Amino acid sequence: MSTPYPFTAIVGMDDLRLGLLLNAVSPAVGGVLVRGEKGTAKSTAVRALSALMPEVAVVAGCRFSCDPGSPDPACPDGPHEVAGGVSRPARMVELPVGASEDRLVGALDIERALAEGVKAFEPGLLADAHRGILYVDEVNLLHDHLVDLLLDAAAMGASYVEREGVSVRHAARFLLVGTMNPEEGELRPQLLDRFGLTVEVAASRETDQRVEVVRRRLAYDDDPAAFAAKWAGEEAALRARIVAARALLPEVRLGDGALRQIAATCAAFEVDGMRADIVMARTATALAAWAGRSDVLAEDVRQAALLALPHRRRRNPFDAPGLDEDKLDDTLEQNSGSDDEDPDTDPDGPGGGGQPPRGDDGDGSSPDSPDHPGEAEPEPEAGEGQRAPAGSGGEQAAARAGEPFRTKMLSVPGLGEGAAGRRSRARTEHGRTTGARRPQGALTKLHLAATVQAAAPHQRARGRSGRGLVVRRDDLRQATREGREGNLVLFVVDASGSMAARQRMSAVKGAVLSLLLDAYQRRDKVGLVTFRGKDAELVLPPTSSVDAAAARLETLPTGGRTPLSAGLLKAHDVLRVERMRDPSRRPLLVVVTDGRATGGPEPVALAARAARLHEAEGVASVVVDCESGPVRLGLAGELARELGGTAVTLDELRADSIAGLVKDVQGTHNRRAA
């Protein structure tokens, strides 16, 4: 076994270390989510924590780590007698992003269950992680069906395996730790709320600290054992402090004053539900125990809020996590005066170091809000035919996106086999059963009726004499299922002068922002191509981070001619490359334009030829028609016909619009069939 990097040798990262240590003191806090850029020691810190966890007493020989003092009466390896048990180190179990459902929850031997009535169960990672740490690296990339299983286990403290009337249950209480890079996509809100605490990490910009990080890492890589031995004393002292804090924890008093501050803070920041209040209370109690105190002070409540609330304030994936610390201080002061408050407490709280970043300027307004001091006056509306200011090169300042709205569902026709998601129909491991087939590899989803039908004709030849069904491996049938997949949604946005009117571009950006939010909810990858002036640009390569796309969209300038063909050709190149990278993920092309094409010889004919390239390759497409005014040329509709897709107006895109029902994108096969 490799020697882990010592926890005490980590340089800086005060919030990260504090969040992990508080969970080691009180696992009831609910785990921690670590958000940060790549290369910031997120995984190193989590793996180092496992060496500091106190040992656990388990029933000898139990695969489910039952506590010998109170064994689980429903344990599949039980029943157990109350006994002394044996001690072992707490486990840290890693859940790979690409793990199967059976690897996570365990697997039943269906053949033995049907033929012999025996519950032959092979435990999964949830059983291994019971009373230890379950670590998910890149947790934001975890498949939806695994997220659902994690949510169930975290909520109930148990894992259930149900297969064709055969069920197994075992305890599954663990410290959930996840790490993620926000650039690769955000986390589903349901799982985000399950993490008790969240911390933001970033590489230090101080030269001396960066030098020390490199020096220690090189020393560890040269001789891990010697490096660990150098820090053994500090590790032992920290481990002893965790044990002492755990022993003190039951004696910590959470007074009415501190409890009122917790409730007032959660109410002031309008967090959903009551989980935040409970997590804050447990975190503040753990902070007091960590500091060696038996009373919770205002400084504990403040630090608990900075760790427990930022990720619970997000209303959509485009909101930056963070907390207005001035508002927090005001709330705590207004609800002070309790008998357990210390007026001389340090407002920075224990643990030191940087705090999660603020979400705004402290007064509830963002720097670019209309009433923010120093904002420039709005520019007059400018269309393609208007003269731009001297020296601007025809470019207009970026317009702010309009308010997002719920959009109609746009889906790719046919039946795909891509990554699990929520947009288009696909053959998946989860969903409604549509048929049966012989299993290819391990059986995962049994089709009981088809299995019985396959075995029934052979019962006499197999010498069946009792009531049981004689089932052999060749009889087993795998259920085929249909669910939903995530797609690659590639936006091609017209940023030319014809779109430059402030109100018009604001509405267009609002529509694209709404589609991005829809893509986030449906687990799509997104990309963004814009065209203006003389050429097109891939502003954002395909990614799972829709908030990155929203950020690019917000700063998108407009102006110049309309090279529509360049935008479509750039999109064709992007889709060609992505098809080689991920051939199973089907694309959906969303062109946002008024349909005009200018610049160069025969711009309309060139745009039509570029559109037919997508049509020939069967790319599902939709054109969002941004044309406005009393006189409309219908050019976006013509473009949609060349693409073999569908055109919708901005009004028709709204889910609450009465202009039409759900729009299914028409692919080339649908067009030819008509």
Side-chain angles (χ1 to χ4, degrees), residues 269-603:
F269 286 100
E270 300 180 347
V271 296
D272 295 332
M274 295 297 297
R275 183 175 283 118
D277 304 63
I278 297 171
V279 170
M280 272 191 66
R282 289 172 174 166
T283 305
T285 303
L287 280 163
W290 181 246
R293 288 185 271 100
S294 58
D295 287 304
V296 174
L297 304 181
E299 66 187 64
D300 301 321
V301 176
R302 186 182 192 278
Q303 184 67 54
L306 292 172
L307 293 171
L309 295 189
H311 62 300
R312 292 186 165 87
R313 294 192 62 242
R314 305 188 74 192
R315 293 296 183 263
N316 63 63
F318 311 135
D319 293 338
L323 218 59
D324 180 350
E325 296 188 35
D326 291 336
K327 182 178 179 179
L328 173 61
D329 291 335
D330 291 342
T331 302
L332 294 176
E333 183 176 355
Q334 291 170 9
N335 291 273
S336 63
S338 63
D339 55 345
D340 56 355
E341 181 184 10
D342 183 355
D344 297 326
T345 55
D346 179 7
D348 292 332
Q355 304 296 348
R358 298 188 182 188
D360 52 292
D361 289 341
D363 59 357
S365 63
S366 61
D368 56 354
S369 59
D371 55 352
H372 193 280
E375 182 185 69
E377 290 295 321
E379 296 183 8
E381 295 184 359
E384 185 171 10
Q386 290 181 298
R387 184 182 301 276
S392 68
E395 181 175 304
Q396 304 295 327
R400 181 178 301 176
E403 190 69 22
F405 51 84
R406 191 166 63 92
T407 66
K408 284 187 172 69
M409 181 175 171
L410 306 174
S411 62
V412 178
L415 197 62
E417 295 181 344
R422 297 183 175 184
R423 184 172 297 279
S424 305
R425 295 173 53 219
R427 298 182 185 91
T428 61
E429 287 294 320
H430 302 270
R432 64 184 181 89
T433 300
T434 58
R437 59 174 173 81
R438 290 182 181 272
Q440 299 172 349
L443 179 72
T444 56
K445 298 292 182 182
L446 178 74
H447 195 295
L448 182 58
T451 298
V452 172
Q453 186 177 10
H458 308 289
Q459 296 306 295
R460 186 184 298 273
R462 293 173 183 174
R464 173 185 171 186
S465 58
R467 300 177 59 185
L469 187 69
V470 181
V471 179
R472 294 181 179 174
R473 177 70 185 175
D474 290 342
D475 302 325
L476 300 179
R477 294 295 181 268
Q478 174 86 19
T480 57
R481 303 195 172 195
E482 182 179 312
R484 295 278 173 177
E485 67 177 359
N487 298 108
L488 166 59
V489 182
L490 181 61
F491 294 92
V492 181
V493 180
D494 186 348
S496 65
S498 65
M499 306 283 288
R502 300 285 286 185
Q503 290 183 344
R504 185 178 182 186
M505 197 59 196
S506 177
V508 168
K509 286 187 175 182
V512 177
L513 196 65
S514 303
L515 290 167
L516 284 171
L517 183 57
D518 181 70
Y520 163 76
Q521 294 168 341
R522 301 191 186 281
R523 311 297 285 173
D524 296 316
K525 289 180 69 174
V526 297
L528 180 61
V529 171
T530 64
F531 58 94
R532 55 183 291 270
K534 296 182 180 180
D535 205 356
E537 178 185 4
L538 178 60
V539 177
L540 182 71
T543 175
S544 296
S545 180
V546 296
D547 52 342
R552 304 290 198 283
L553 181 72
E554 189 68 27
T555 58
L556 179 66
T558 56
R561 295 186 177 276
T562 312
L564 178 56
S565 60
L568 295 173
L569 290 174
K570 175 65 73 172
H572 183 266
D573 290 342
V574 172
L575 294 181
R576 177 178 53 81
V577 173
E578 288 301 309
R579 194 176 295 116
M580 291 187 289
R581 288 177 176 170
D582 190 358
S584 64
R585 188 180 288 269
R586 296 188 295 165
L588 172 60
L589 182 67
V590 179
V591 185
V592 185
T593 180
D594 57 9
R596 296 184 184 182
T598 60
E602 300 182 345

Side-chain angles (χ1 to χ4, degrees), residues 165-330:
V166 181
S167 64
V168 172
R169 173 212 168 274
H170 65 82
R173 292 182 294 274
F174 44 81
L175 169 59
L176 181 60
V177 181
T179 56
M180 60 174 284
N181 181 353
E183 294 178 356
E184 298 173 343
E186 285 296 341
L187 197 61
R188 275 178 57 183
Q190 296 94 324
L191 186 56
L192 187 64
D193 188 54
R194 289 293 179 185
F195 286 99
L197 311 179
T198 184
V199 293
E200 297 277 339
V201 296
S204 173
R205 298 297 182 259
E206 296 181 7
T207 302
D208 291 342
Q209 193 171 82
R210 295 175 73 97
V211 167
E212 186 61 23
V213 169
V214 175
R215 181 181 290 119
R216 293 186 185 184
R217 185 69 208 195
L218 292 177
Y220 170 77
D221 290 341
D222 288 342
D223 192 342
F227 185 82
K230 178 181 177 181
W231 293 88
E234 287 83 350
E235 291 282 287
L238 188 59
R239 190 179 299 109
R241 186 178 175 185
I242 292 173
V243 173
R246 279 194 172 190
L248 178 61
L249 189 65
E251 303 176 15
V252 175
R253 186 176 71 92
L254 181 64
D256 289 343
L259 193 56
R260 179 170 291 277
Q261 285 184 317
I262 290 171
T265 300
C266 292
F269 286 100
E270 300 180 347
V271 296
D272 295 332
M274 295 297 297
R275 183 175 283 118
D277 304 63
I278 297 171
V279 170
M280 272 191 66
R282 289 172 174 166
T283 305
T285 303
L287 280 163
W290 181 246
R293 288 185 271 100
S294 58
D295 287 304
V296 174
L297 304 181
E299 66 187 64
D300 301 321
V301 176
R302 186 182 192 278
Q303 184 67 54
L306 292 172
L307 293 171
L309 295 189
H311 62 300
R312 292 186 165 87
R313 294 192 62 242
R314 305 188 74 192
R315 293 296 183 263
N316 63 63
F318 311 135
D319 293 338
L323 218 59
D324 180 350
E325 296 188 35
D326 291 336
K327 182 178 179 179
L328 173 61
D329 291 335
D330 291 342

